[in-house]
Structures are given as structure tokens and as C-alpha cells.
Amino acid sequence: MSYLERLKSCSNLKEFAEYLGYKPSNLSYLLYVLNDDLKYRTFEISKKSKEARVIKAPEKSLKGLQRRLASRLENCQKEIESNLGIVNPVSHGFRKGHSIATNANIHKRKRYVFNLDIKDFFGTLDFGRVRGFFIKNYNYELAPEVATIIAQISCFDNSLPQGSPCSPIISNLIGNILDVKLLKLAKKNGCHYSRYADDLTFSTNQKVFPADIAIQDPIKGDWDCGAEIYKIMKLVRFQINDSKTRMLYRNSRQLVTGLVVNRKVNIAADYWRDTRAMLWNLFNTGSFFIKDNSEEVAEGTLSQLNGRLDFIYQIDAYNTNKSKGENVKTAKKEAYKKFLFFKSFYVNEMPTIVCEGKTDPIYLKCALESLADSHRELIDKDGKLNIGLFNYSKVAADVLELSGGNAPISKFLDQYQKMFSLFRVNSSQNPTIIILDNDGAGLRTLNHAKRGATSEVKMDGFDEPIQCLPENIYVFRIPRIIDKDLEIEDYFKEEAFQIKLNEKSFKRKGVIDKKKEFGKFLFAEKIVKNNKKNIDFSQFSLIFNVIQQIISHSKASAPTD
């Protein structure tokens, strides 16, 4: 039975709880027992318009429930779109494979681009609208009790809160009613239409823009929505934010969801120019200045610059991947690479640990939390780590070319000193520590490191010397506990491997039968994380002892002013 069929078959709380994979008592507790004052944390973030966006972040257990609901509804919507033959939906927000770039791409190289904005989009989607949608919509037609529970899970203070994992999918489901009507109007008038959350865009190459969609004041020259737009918005109970309505012409800069679309989807030239200037100042002086959302100039943070560069990178990758394929070097990508290296390894606020694989940092973090009392140099009493565990993200793989495994680490070692030479400010002097498995592949990487090492250091209780490379980088293989090839998983006791996940068994190597088995990632995420209080991590102390000695050696070797 499909996700949608199972959902439509639910008639009460017990059945719906089972559909979500919850015990009815747990679902009832979150809905009816947990105090409303404890369900959300409310805070504000500033916007460019100088207004404040109110974020209502759900507490951990409620957030987990909302994520589960969102996942189920996303699967249902995929089934509906597949059944209807919908390949390219006009809604691009909060959808896998869609972005502000795919949204903007629809409107490139047009004579006219007309942008408008829905006023208080999430706020107008109240409890009654959410509940009514799931009862009345012909694709769902759920039992009233189930529709009520969905609204109770997803709404707070009588609306969909910004910050809830299920607000995006539910807003898209209800927004689809608007999309159908506006798309029909757009096609009738020879226009293209798309929506990204609350941003609506129409575009056309016609000589005269259709009056049904937008009209111009003959005296002031201002543009307003046409009568048909207002009629549709009233019908579906949305309002236009008139202050954000604008018409953009071919001979001016045309923006759609913040991207220039005159010739191709791109960031604004001045945005990239300003970002490059910030990077130059950061690398050469150690600081830079940036305009905040109120247009005031203030000293910028690494987090702000990271956000700008990630935005630039995403759009650059969208364009290069479309035209040239993946793994293409561009000036924007190289600039991001320098920044990430600077942030992660040059001015790192604490020693940085780089492991071979994506799951290794999860093991080390859980082990360190379990063994905290024995390794206070690495973790404080509040559970805050005093070491940084490098995260193998998609961006790290593409930009830094660190994707996990021995070959990328060897390449990383080759470029490490060269990257350090690009910066003119003082480094943090915190070491980068690379941890390898004690096997043949790890030995090859260790031997590669030896060729560039300036010295070898013997650590107490550890037979194999640590390789010390220029610019405070250390490389070692995990200490042996068995007389054969050793991977970090071997530090777990056998009991950990016997823990089942939905009746499936852990398989370390080889092809995984997904019906019966799960691999290392799920072992780390679901078994180790969820059972860290009961798992025996004692053998991981061997690794932490080496790390502590390396940090001490690094401090003792650091140049003094």
C-alpha cells in the first residue's frame, strides 16, 4: 500500500500514530500533555526590509514529529504528481531538485519580469485552512479526526510557524491551489509563471504586458496587479504585499528571487565584486566590513562571509553543471576554496581533526561524550568539545576536494603548505590532526605524509611515530588492538554490532541487502548516536590519548612572540 493510500485509510489517532511510526501514547503526549509554553522557542531575525522575521522553533521531540509528518506528506505529494504526470511543478520553494536558481531560470531573457509578494504567507495559513484542506482536497479527503491531528501537529498560535519542518510542505500543498489558477491565467495571456514560497513571478516577451496580470499608472508610471490577479488572490484567501510589487524591463537589471535573469541566471556583479574585496581584506588584514540588513556598515564575521560565498557557489555550480558538467574549476569556486581552508585550518579556533570517513567524526564525538571524565582536555563539563571534527559535506567534497578516503587526504597534504602561503595574517597555531585507519591504505597515506614531514614524534603508549608536517599538521594511524588490518569500527565491542535497526542487521562491508541489512552511515547515525549511553567506548581512549599528546606537543613547539 502506498503512503497516500495508507494515509487515507487512517481514521483515528491510533491509526495515524502508527502511520507516522509513533506509539499512540507518545503522539498524545506531544499534542495534548506537553505544555504549549514548552513547545516552541520564539526569536526574531532581521530582514533587508528592516522588518523582523519571527521564527518559532519547535522543541526537539516535537520537531522530530514534524519532520516525520513532513516526510510522509512529501512522499504523498510525489505520488500525486506522478499520477497526474506533473514533471516540472511551478512551485520551486522547499522542493528537492528545485531552488531559487530553477525558479529564476524560467524568466531569463524576457522583455518584462513582473514580481509580486504574498503578504504574511505562513501567517494566513491558519488551523482551519490546514484542517479544511486535508478534509476537502480531492487528492486527500482525509477523515476529519486525522485532518485535525495534522493541523494540531503543524500549527501554533493558529498558523503555520516559520521554523517548523512541516510548514514548507503544507504551505506548498495549499499554495498549489493558487498556482493552478495563476498558471492558467499566465498561459491564457502568453506569460510564464512560477512561485518560490511567497514570491510570485510572471514574465513575457510580448510587446505589451497583459493587463489581466499587471497595469501601469499612465501618469506615475507605477505598476500594479491586474484585476484578475486580485480576483484570484481574494478567491484563495491570500493578499498581495503592494510594497513589493515591481515591473522590471529588459534594459534594466531584472531580478527574480535575488538573481539576475537578463541573459542567464546569475548573481549581481556588484555582489561578487564586494565579496572578493571582503576576501582580500580578510586574507591580508584579518578583518573586513559588510553592510547589515539595515544597510549599516560593520565589521563582518566569518559566518556572514561563508553565507555569501555559499550562495555564490550554489549559483555558480548551477550554471557550470548545466553547461560543462560537474567538478569544473571556476574563479568563484577557487575563492570559496581559499576561504574554507582559511576558516577550517588557518584560523581554526581549536585543533581540527580530519578522519578518513564521514562516519568517523560521529564515532569520535559520541565516544568523547561517553569518556568525558577521562579526557577533560578535549571536552569540558558542559559537554562542549575543545576539538573541531571536520565534517565531510557535499560542499567540502566539491570545493575543498575532501570527500573522505585516503587519496583525497594525500592530495590535501600536498596542497596544505601552498594554501597557507596565500594568507598574510597570523595563523591560529592550532594543529590539524589527520587520523588514518591502521591498514594498507592508511599506511600508503602515512608514507605519503612522510615524504613531506619535517620530523617524527614518538608518543607515550604508541609504537608508531607521528608524522609532523610544515604548518602544524600531524598524521597518525589509529593504535593497534588486533594483529591485522584495523579500522575505527574495530574499537567497538561486538555488542554494538548486534543492535538491530527495524529488524535489520549491521553489515560493515560488501553489498548491502536493504531489506535485511544496513551499512556504516546508519550504524553511526541510528545505532551509535541513539545508544551512546549504553555502548562501550573504552577503547577509543587510545585515540584520544594520542590526540591530547599531539596538542601538547603543538603548544610546546609553537613560536613565541
Side-chain angles (χ1 to χ4, degrees):
M1 189 181 293
S2 71
Y3 281 104
L4 183 59
E5 290 171 336
R6 287 174 58 201
L7 175 59
K8 295 175 79 168
S9 71
C10 295
S11 61
N12 53 49
L13 185 143
K14 179 179 181 296
E15 292 173 354
F16 186 62
E18 291 171 353
Y19 172 74
L20 293 177
Y22 274 72
K23 293 180 180 179
S25 58
N26 291 346
L27 179 57
S28 294
Y29 172 80
L30 291 172
L31 293 181
Y32 309 122
V33 179
L34 183 64
N35 193 298
D36 283 349
D37 293 338
L38 300 177
K39 287 182 177 179
Y40 289 84
R41 179 174 61 90
T42 302
F43 58 94
E44 294 183 350
I45 58 174
S46 59
K47 299 192 294 184
K48 287 186 178 180
S49 61
K50 299 185 182 181
E51 300 172 354
R53 176 179 282 116
V54 178
I55 304 298
K56 297 175 182 178
E59 64 88 34
K60 186 176 180 180
S61 56
L62 178 59
K63 188 175 184 178
L65 172 62
Q66 291 172 340
R67 280 179 172 163
R68 186 67 58 84
L69 173 60
S71 176
R72 295 290 189 269
L73 291 177
E74 285 166 359
N75 286 326
C76 290
Q77 192 60 16
K78 287 177 185 177
E79 289 178 26
I80 292 169
E81 290 176 358
S82 177
N83 293 337
L84 294 175
I86 298 173
V87 179
N88 295 308
V90 296
S91 171
H92 292 254
F94 321 121
R95 302 178 68 99
K96 188 175 181 179
H98 294 72
S99 64
I100 58 171
T102 61
N103 180 66
N105 189 61
I106 294 168
H107 307 286
K108 66 185 180 184
R109 295 193 293 271
K110 298 295 189 294
R111 186 187 296 270
Y112 297 98
V113 173
F114 182 58
N115 292 316
L116 52 153
D117 184 88
I118 299 174
K119 186 177 181 180
D120 193 19
F121 182 49
F122 280 175
T124 57
L125 300 174
D126 58 30
F127 185 95
R129 289 185 73 174
V130 174
R131 179 179 182 275
F133 170 83
F134 285 105
I135 293 173
K136 298 175 183 178
N137 184 268
Y138 66 91
N139 288 315
Y140 288 90
E141 296 179 331
L142 303 185
E145 183 176 345
V146 174
T148 300
I149 295 170
I150 290 176
Q152 289 170 329
I153 294 171
S154 57
C155 293
F156 182 67
D157 284 344
N158 198 33
S159 67
L160 289 180
Q162 291 198 50
S164 163
C166 57
S167 291
I169 176 63
I170 293 177
S171 67
N172 266 347
L173 292 176
I174 299 175
N176 184 59
I177 301 169
L178 172 66
D179 293 334
V180 170
K181 296 183 181 301
L182 291 183
L183 181 60
K184 184 177 179 180
L185 177 66
K187 287 183 175 180
K188 178 183 174 182
N189 287 277
C191 289
H192 295 271
Y193 164 75
S194 70
R195 177 174 65 85
Y196 189 93
D198 56 357
D199 291 321
L200 315 178
T201 303
F202 294 86
S203 64
T204 186
N205 277 321
Q206 295 182 84
K207 290 184 178 180
V208 179
F209 198 87
D212 281 351
I213 297 174
I215 53 175
Q216 186 177 28
D217 186 310
I219 299 175
K220 295 182 180 180
D222 296 336
W223 287 83
D224 194 5
C225 293
E228 286 298 312
I229 294 287
Y230 280 115
K231 181 179 176 181
I232 290 172
M233 297 299 282
K234 183 178 181 180
L235 184 65
V236 297
R237 296 164 58 194
F238 284 119
Q239 282 186 294
I240 296 293
N241 186 346
D242 293 321
S243 66
K244 293 188 177 180
T245 299
R246 65 189 187 275
M247 180 69 78
L248 303 170
Y249 307 100
R250 178 179 287 166
N251 59 358
S252 64
R253 187 165 70 176
Q254 295 173 316
L255 294 170
V256 176
T257 45
L259 299 174
V260 179
V261 294
N262 292 70
R263 289 185 296 172
K264 69 175 185 177
V265 175
N266 210 349
I267 57 167
D270 54 350
Y271 190 87
W272 169 230
R273 185 171 58 249
D274 290 346
T275 304
R276 280 187 303 170
M278 292 175 197
L279 284 173
W280 190 93
N281 284 312
L282 176 65
F283 296 160
N284 288 277
T285 71
S287 64
F288 64 95
F289 290 87
I290 189 172
K291 286 183 180 180
D292 61 20
N293 287 331
S294 61
E295 295 297 306
E296 296 292 329
V297 176
E299 187 169 343
T301 65
L302 292 180
S303 179
Q304 287 175 309
L305 189 48
N306 201 148
R308 289 176 73 100
L309 286 162
D310 189 67
F311 170 64
I312 291 168
Y313 161 74
Q314 297 295 341
I315 304 308
D316 188 49
Y318 173 79
N319 284 320
T320 54
N321 290 351
K322 279 184 63 179
S323 60
K324 302 174 184 177
E326 296 184 1
N327 301 320
V328 177
K329 287 188 178 181
T330 67
K332 295 181 176 71
K333 187 173 174 180
E334 287 299 298
Y336 195 14
K337 179 178 181 177
K338 291 174 186 175
F339 171 80
L340 289 179
F341 194 96
F342 180 87
K343 176 188 173 186
S344 302
F345 306 108
Y346 193 82
V347 294
N348 46 336
E349 295 180 349
M350 57 186 71
T352 300
I353 311 298
V354 180
C355 304
E356 275 193 29
K358 297 178 181 180
T359 56
D360 297 2
I362 300 173
Y363 301 152
L364 292 180
K365 184 175 186 295
C366 292
L368 195 50
E369 289 170 349
S370 175
L371 304 171
D373 290 338
S374 303
H375 300 283
R376 282 293 171 215
E377 299 92 337
L378 305 181
I379 182 171
D380 65 23
K381 290 183 178 180
D382 295 324
K384 182 181 177 182
L385 299 187
N386 296 324
I387 55 174
L389 298 168
F390 183 78
N391 177 32
Y392 280 110
S393 65
K394 184 177 179 181
V395 169
D398 187 40
V399 180
L400 280 174
E401 300 175 272
L402 267 174
S403 55
N406 286 273
I409 287 178
S410 294
K411 186 174 181 180
F412 172 75
L413 291 172
D414 290 340
Q415 64 182 350
Y416 195 91
Q417 193 171 4
K418 178 182 177 183
M419 293 296 288
F420 258 60
S421 68
L422 299 174
F423 313 123
R424 297 289 176 264
V425 295
N426 292 330
S427 69
S428 68
Q429 297 296 318
N430 283 316
T432 294
I433 303 170
I434 295 179
I435 303 176
L436 306 171
D437 285 342
N438 205 321
D439 57 11
L443 180 59
R444 286 192 294 273
T445 305
L446 189 72
N447 288 334
H448 185 89
K450 282 183 180 181
R451 292 196 285 272
T454 54
S455 64
E456 294 184 340
V457 181
K458 186 73 169 61
M459 299 296 175
D460 292 341
F462 189 43
D463 294 334
E464 195 168 74
I466 309 297
Q467 301 302 312
C468 303
L469 282 73
E471 311 300 354
N472 216 15
I473 187 166
Y474 294 78
V475 185
F476 74 94
R477 295 197 298 170
I478 56 176
R480 280 201 173 277
I481 55 173
I482 54 176
D483 292 327
K484 60 179 181 179
D485 283 356
L486 178 74
E487 296 178 336
I488 198 167
E489 282 83 10
D490 290 309
Y491 279 76
F492 290 102
K493 299 293 179 65
E494 187 62 30
E495 303 88 78
F497 302 136
Q498 300 306 314
I499 301 174
K500 300 276 188 177
L501 179 61
N502 298 327
E503 302 304 317
K504 296 179 182 179
S505 301
F506 174 49
K507 186 174 182 180
R508 283 178 61 175
K509 296 180 179 180
V511 179
I512 293 172
D513 182 347
K514 292 184 178 181
K515 293 181 180 180
K516 302 177 181 178
E517 301 165 332
F518 61 94
K520 288 184 179 181
F521 181 76
L522 289 179
F523 175 71
E525 283 287 336
K526 301 298 183 181
I527 302 299
V528 176
K529 273 188 178 181
N530 295 343
N531 298 277
K532 60 185 177 182
K533 291 183 179 179
N534 302 316
I535 289 177
D536 184 349
F537 291 101
S538 58
Q539 295 187 120
F540 281 83
S541 276
L542 296 170
I543 297 176
F544 297 137
N545 288 337
V546 176
I547 292 174
Q548 287 173 198
Q549 291 184 69
I550 288 175
I551 293 172
S552 297
H553 182 272
S554 173
K555 288 178 180 178
S557 305
T560 56
D561 295 333

